[in-house]
Amino acid sequence: MNKMRKTFSKLFLIALLITGQTKAQSLKNVVDKAFDFAEQQSLLMAKKYENQAGRLPRTFENGKDVSSDSRWWCSGFFPGTLWYLYEHNKNQEVLKYAKLYTDRVEREKYTTDNHDVGFMLYCSFGNGLRLTGQERYKEVLLTGAKSLATRFDPKVGLIRSWDDRKDIWQYPVIIDNLMNLELMLWAADYSKDENFRKIALSHADKTIVHHFRPDYSSYHVVSYDRETGVPHRKQTHQGAGDESAWSRGQAWGLYGYTYLYRETKDKRYLEQAKSIANFLINHPQMPQNFIPYWDYNAPQIPNTPRDASAACIMASALVELSDFVDAGLKKKYMAVVDTQIRTLSSAEYTARPGENGDFILKHSTGAYPFKSEIDAPLTYADYYYLEALTRLKKRL
């Protein structure tokens, strides 16, 4: 009997192992197929705008292509998408277009009138530098970091986001701004000028104190008194309400503190990221497929649009965060990612070839209160989807 039990136990363990391997292989197939389609679709996009000097894709609304020049905050995402596709299989045609579209963003290294320089340059030139080592890209990134640093006021301790609506905001900072600190940390390492790091960490620390509520949801906009450095207004600009949890904003926070921990190994940032992840994964309004509604407190739930871009940002962050936690949390995070990637790569969320304005994903939401880019493809959804796939591929 004991011998039979041992044999059964051994067979059971083998079955578990095979099941696990099959599931992992199955997800690998999902990822590989997603990359193949993304390359096909993105090359169509690249060729469409190739001879439109300075233009970059933004969205596809009402059956029409919508593009921008490099000034739009999303300008770095399509070049970044191409860099991730090049990293996948080293297709030289993709490399050609990655360089072409990256160069279209270069003038933003001199931008000092908004905080989006990190989005614009680090997603494009940052990935280009990582994959090619091209020296010229270093100068672009460092100049961009210097430009971004001009928006830091030591009295307030944060990088200012916007310059408009001065009748309402004195010194507005949005949660999205966390994403631009990675450029500053790179600049500190490259230039050995620690002022860049001090700016980034000051911004990150004050954001923890003033942007987050006790449940680890975050406000969208916090405006600070220019003299005291203390918040005088906390509200939303793109969410359902001032006290709501705008889904993309929550994802920015998760992503931001995850990479801040990676770069600094400061346990406070890890705990912040884990707490945000817990808030999102266990939120009562989080759908079973983990593709969030555009706001977790939107009054029309479930009859309101999803935001695939928020899911993509969240998935990319969770893959990386899983490297920094114990086995139990890792399993939990990766189960969420598994569900998100399978859903995003399904026919429900992935476009058919040549449709959707040549974007990869459908069903994102840009700015619902402004009736802008609702249930539409967005260039940053595609970017963070490709980043999530890239990170996932390395772990399968």
Side-chain angles (χ1 to χ4, degrees):
M1 181 63 73
N2 287 337
K3 187 175 182 181
M4 186 180 296
R5 283 178 180 170
K6 287 180 180 179
T7 302
F8 177 79
S9 297
K10 185 181 290 187
L11 289 172
F12 180 69
L13 289 172
I14 292 171
L16 281 178
L17 181 61
I18 292 172
T19 301
Q21 288 175 340
T22 302
K23 186 175 181 181
Q25 181 64 26
S26 176
L27 183 57
K28 182 180 184 303
N29 288 339
V30 169
V31 169
D32 287 341
K33 288 178 182 178
F35 267 118
D36 290 343
F37 172 75
E39 180 176 300
Q40 175 186 352
Q41 195 80 332
S42 297
L43 281 172
L44 290 175
M45 181 79 82
K47 292 170 183 176
K48 178 165 61 180
Y49 288 106
E50 182 175 8
N51 296 316
Q52 297 185 38
R55 304 307 293 178
L56 295 124
R58 172 177 165 177
T59 186
F60 182 72
E61 264 189 307
N62 303 315
K64 295 181 180 179
D65 292 323
V66 180
S67 64
S68 72
D69 63 13
S70 66
R71 299 298 185 204
W72 184 242
W73 74 276
C74 301
S75 60
F77 291 121
F78 182 60
T81 292
L82 293 170
W83 283 118
Y84 280 125
L85 289 170
Y86 171 68
E87 183 174 5
H88 172 62
N89 68 1
K90 299 300 187 289
N91 183 326
Q92 293 301 301
E93 185 179 23
V94 173
L95 175 61
K96 178 187 78 172
Y97 285 119
K99 291 178 176 179
L100 172 69
Y101 284 96
T102 293
D103 286 345
R104 290 185 181 183
V105 188
E106 181 171 354
R107 67 175 177 170
E108 300 311 319
K109 66 186 179 182
Y110 299 119
T111 293
T112 58
D113 63 356
N114 70 70
H115 71 139
D116 292 314
V117 179
F119 278 129
M120 295 167 169
L121 298 181
Y122 205 70
C123 297
S124 54
F125 285 92
N127 278 309
L129 175 63
R130 180 174 63 85
L131 294 171
T132 69
Q134 190 166 145
E135 283 296 317
R136 181 174 66 85
Y137 290 0
K138 295 177 183 178
E139 179 277 323
V140 174
L141 291 167
L142 184 58
T143 301
K146 290 176 180 176
S147 297
L148 183 56
T150 66
R151 300 191 61 76
F152 180 80
D153 184 341
K155 189 181 292 186
V156 180
L158 296 110
I159 298 169
R160 183 186 179 101
S161 293
W162 300 325
D163 292 339
D164 58 352
R165 301 185 69 179
K166 294 180 180 178
D167 57 323
I168 299 175
W169 301 318
Q170 289 188 41
Y171 197 97
V173 178
I174 64 175
I175 191 64
D176 319 36
N177 207 340
L178 274 177
M179 302 293 284
N180 296 293
L181 305 182
E182 196 166 8
L183 173 63
M184 304 300 277
L185 294 173
W186 174 87
D189 288 339
Y190 173 67
S191 69
K192 308 306 179 187
D193 182 348
E194 284 301 301
N195 189 52
F196 291 117
R197 192 180 311 278
K198 290 176 183 177
I199 289 173
L201 300 188
S202 174
H203 187 107
D205 293 345
K206 288 204 72 170
T207 298
I208 286 179
V209 173
H210 296 301
H211 246 93
F212 287 88
R213 306 181 183 103
D215 64 358
Y216 291 95
S217 65
S218 74
Y219 289 96
H220 181 199
V221 186
V222 176
S223 182
Y224 293 80
D225 184 295
R226 296 186 68 109
E227 295 302 316
T228 66
V230 174
H232 71 91
R233 185 185 292 268
K234 296 185 178 185
Q235 62 181 114
T236 194
H237 186 61
Q238 290 171 248
D242 289 346
E243 296 298 327
S244 75
W246 173 53
S247 63
R248 194 162 63 251
Q250 313 313 305
W252 293 140
L254 172 64
Y255 189 109
Y257 286 104
T258 298
Y259 83 69
L260 281 160
Y261 175 70
R262 178 226 305 151
E263 293 298 320
T264 67
K265 295 300 182 286
D266 187 327
K267 289 291 181 64
R268 292 178 305 122
Y269 298 148
L270 177 60
E271 292 306 312
Q272 187 74 10
K274 287 164 60 178
S275 297
I276 298 169
N278 181 66
F279 170 80
L280 296 179
I281 292 170
N282 298 304
H283 197 285
Q285 299 286 20
M286 174 65 86
Q288 287 186 340
N289 63 7
F290 293 99
I291 312 297
Y293 298 100
W294 68 275
D295 191 299
Y296 290 97
N297 304 107
Q300 302 88 358
I301 289 174
N303 301 311
T304 198
R306 303 290 185 97
D307 184 7
S309 75
C312 295
I313 299 160
M314 182 179 170
S316 184
L318 285 176
V319 175
E320 180 166 59
L321 185 58
S322 70
D323 290 340
F324 307 137
V325 297
D326 61 41
L329 276 182
K330 181 183 181 74
K331 183 177 180 180
K332 184 175 184 179
Y333 294 164
M334 294 307 290
V336 172
V337 172
D338 186 292
T339 301
Q340 288 176 317
I341 294 301
R342 291 177 191 275
T343 303
L344 291 166
S345 63
S346 72
E348 182 181 2
Y349 280 88
T350 291
R352 291 191 294 186
E355 296 186 354
N356 200 40
D358 300 322
F359 286 89
I360 302 163
L361 296 180
K362 303 179 287 185
H363 306 315
S364 288
T365 300
Y368 187 89
F370 300 101
K371 298 181 172 60
S372 174
E373 301 171 338
I374 298 172
D375 193 24
L378 292 170
T379 185
Y380 46 91
D382 287 359
Y383 173 85
Y384 287 104
Y385 177 56
L386 265 293
E387 183 177 77
L389 291 175
T390 299
R391 291 176 170 181
L392 193 54
K393 177 186 173 185
K394 293 174 182 177
R395 292 160 174 81
L396 292 177

